[in-house]
Amino acid sequence: MLVDIRSMPPEIQAEARRQAPVLDVPHHPGITPRHAALSFGVMSTDAVSGTRPRSRLERRVIAAAEALLAHDGSVSPVDVLAAIGWLPQSTVDRWRQGRVEYLEELAPVRPDKLAAALEHLRGWAAGKALAPSEVAFVGATRDRRPLRFTADGNEATERAWGTHWMRADLPEAARERLTRRQSKLPDLMVIEPLNEWSCTACDGSGWLLFMEGPGPLCMDCADLGHLVFLPAGNATLTRRAKQASQLSAVVVRFSRARKRYERQGILVEEAALEQAEVQCLADEDARSQRRKRDRQRRADQDVVFQTRLAEVVGRLFPSCPAARAAAIARHAAVRGSGRVGRSAAGRTLDEDAVMLAVVASVRHQDTDYDELLMAGVPRAVAREQIQPAVDRVLASWQHP
């Protein structure tokens, strides 16, 4: 259960923040920083209701599991350990790349603490009547070796760590999709390095490297030298080339500005790329027509959403001119803008989100806020200076 701690009393907020762990933001390509987002502002229903679990560890495990279940529809021990800060994504990446023998040795706590966390998770899952699903963890290595969680490799313990839990009331089709996603083999990951490097096998180098075992390998030593690079940008060509290629790898490069790895393209077999290019040329017209239909469909959806958003603005601010309400809705709801109208709360027409959109419009159009910013006034100071003007406009709009 996701809980916004800002809506709670101050003493509950303080307790939530005390319990919330600090996480490493994932740097794996294609993986959004969800554990970091879920790690703060989340409390279990037990903590909110006052029926507190027996230990702080149990509270942390339950809070993380509740958030993951609400966000993804499933929970796994590795995800929970990442969410409570014990296994940063960079650590999991090393394990998936086959650079450590077992995951347990990377955790900053003793094995008995890991076992306790697993037991808390299993107890919570049983109380929720969640359905277990065993998933085989396979490494992002050339030999696709099975991954180990523990030092002793006990079969029952390994199965427990590889178990995912999902809601029992999920439709069968949804459960199958989740199971397929969890069981999907990880992509091989090739890195475009920013610094000089040398291959641990041949002392060579190159513009790409593959991390496995003790250190980086060049493409030839990693048996990937025969693949060709397909830059990102054409989703259809990329998908078809990858499907046709028996061996492929994702190429990533670290962004110093964004502090994460970003996808640059893929490596595929040359014959697969040629086949994909022929397929794309053959149905280009059909795909172009489909894109046009999709654009029109999205535009129609946007018009309907903007109309509904303008209606909510009119209900909250009866004296706001209709044309202004429509303009606020159009601006806030621009697809891909990242504005409040495109947020999860905005799409559900949450009144707080609509209020934020109205305030932003008044701030920029009915005050000298933008001029203050251009003059070098700090943002917080500028907002404080124009707040009385914003309040006056809002007050004039709130009464018929």
Side-chain angles (χ1 to χ4, degrees), residues 37-367:
L38 293 170
S39 68
F40 188 78
V42 176
M43 292 182 66
S44 69
T45 51
D46 290 335
V48 175
S49 65
T51 306
R52 302 181 64 81
R54 292 187 299 273
S55 68
R56 182 173 182 269
L57 173 59
E58 187 172 358
R59 294 197 300 272
R60 295 175 67 192
V61 168
I62 290 176
E66 292 276 8
L68 288 165
L69 184 65
H71 188 271
D72 294 340
S74 67
V75 181
S76 74
V78 173
D79 285 338
V80 169
L81 293 184
I84 66 176
W86 286 1
L87 288 178
Q89 189 61 45
S90 58
T91 297
V92 177
D93 287 345
R94 290 178 58 202
W95 175 61
R96 298 303 293 264
Q97 293 166 2
R99 302 179 64 194
V100 293
E101 189 174 355
Y102 48 88
L103 187 60
E104 187 180 72
E105 71 173 297
L106 298 178
V109 296
R110 300 186 309 272
D112 61 315
K113 293 280 285 185
L114 293 174
L118 176 59
E119 193 58 36
H120 292 322
L121 175 61
R122 292 171 64 182
W124 168 84
K128 289 280 187 179
L130 301 181
S133 174
E134 290 186 18
V135 176
F137 276 74
V138 179
T141 57
R142 293 167 296 170
D143 57 3
R144 299 300 193 180
R145 72 189 67 160
L147 295 174
R148 279 174 51 193
F149 294 92
T150 60
D152 58 17
N154 178 271
E155 185 176 346
T157 306
E158 293 289 316
R159 282 202 308 270
W161 278 109
T163 296
H164 285 62
W165 302 88
M166 63 185 73
R167 295 203 314 270
D169 60 351
L170 282 178
E172 184 62 29
R175 281 205 300 272
E176 290 179 357
R177 283 195 301 271
L178 271 175
T179 302
R180 283 197 303 270
R181 187 183 71 186
Q182 294 160 355
S183 304
K184 182 181 178 182
L185 289 176
D187 288 322
L188 297 179
M189 187 178 70
V190 170
I191 300 172
E192 182 181 349
L194 302 179
N195 304 314
E196 294 184 2
W197 66 281
S198 60
C199 176
T200 55
C202 70
D203 291 330
S205 188
W207 76 285
L208 296 175
L209 63 85
F210 180 75
M211 292 298 300
E212 184 175 289
L217 297 174
C218 67
M219 292 298 95
D220 287 335
C221 291
D223 296 325
L224 302 173
H226 64 292
L227 302 181
V228 296
F229 177 63
L230 172 60
N234 188 327
T236 302
L237 181 61
T238 297
R239 185 183 70 253
R240 287 175 170 175
K242 186 176 180 181
Q243 289 175 343
S245 186
Q246 293 183 353
L247 180 63
S248 64
V250 175
V251 178
V252 299
R253 182 174 60 205
F254 188 74
S255 169
R256 290 194 175 104
R258 297 182 177 89
K259 307 299 182 185
R260 67 170 184 256
Y261 281 99
E262 296 181 339
R263 186 173 179 136
Q264 305 300 307
I266 62 172
L267 295 175
V268 293
E269 295 168 340
E270 187 171 5
L273 177 56
E274 293 174 353
Q275 176 183 327
E277 290 173 335
V278 170
Q279 292 173 342
C280 288
L281 287 173
D283 63 0
E284 173 60 28
D285 289 342
R287 288 187 292 112
S288 176
Q289 291 298 320
R290 185 166 62 248
R291 287 194 295 269
K292 290 180 181 177
R293 291 195 300 271
D294 289 343
R295 282 196 296 269
Q296 185 59 51
R297 174 179 53 81
R298 289 192 293 268
D300 293 342
Q301 291 174 344
D302 289 346
V303 169
V304 172
F305 174 61
Q306 290 168 13
T307 301
R308 294 174 58 203
L309 182 54
E311 290 173 352
V312 177
V313 173
R315 188 177 72 247
L316 294 176
F317 300 93
S319 293
C320 177
R324 182 65 181 278
I328 292 172
R330 284 195 303 272
H331 180 78
V334 172
R335 188 182 293 269
S337 65
R339 296 171 187 150
V340 68
R342 302 309 306 185
S343 66
R347 291 197 300 272
T348 60
L349 300 177
D350 178 80
E351 291 188 358
D352 289 339
V354 176
M355 177 73 75
L356 290 175
V358 174
V359 169
S361 176
V362 172
R363 182 187 298 129
H364 289 286
Q365 296 193 31
D366 299 284
T367 74

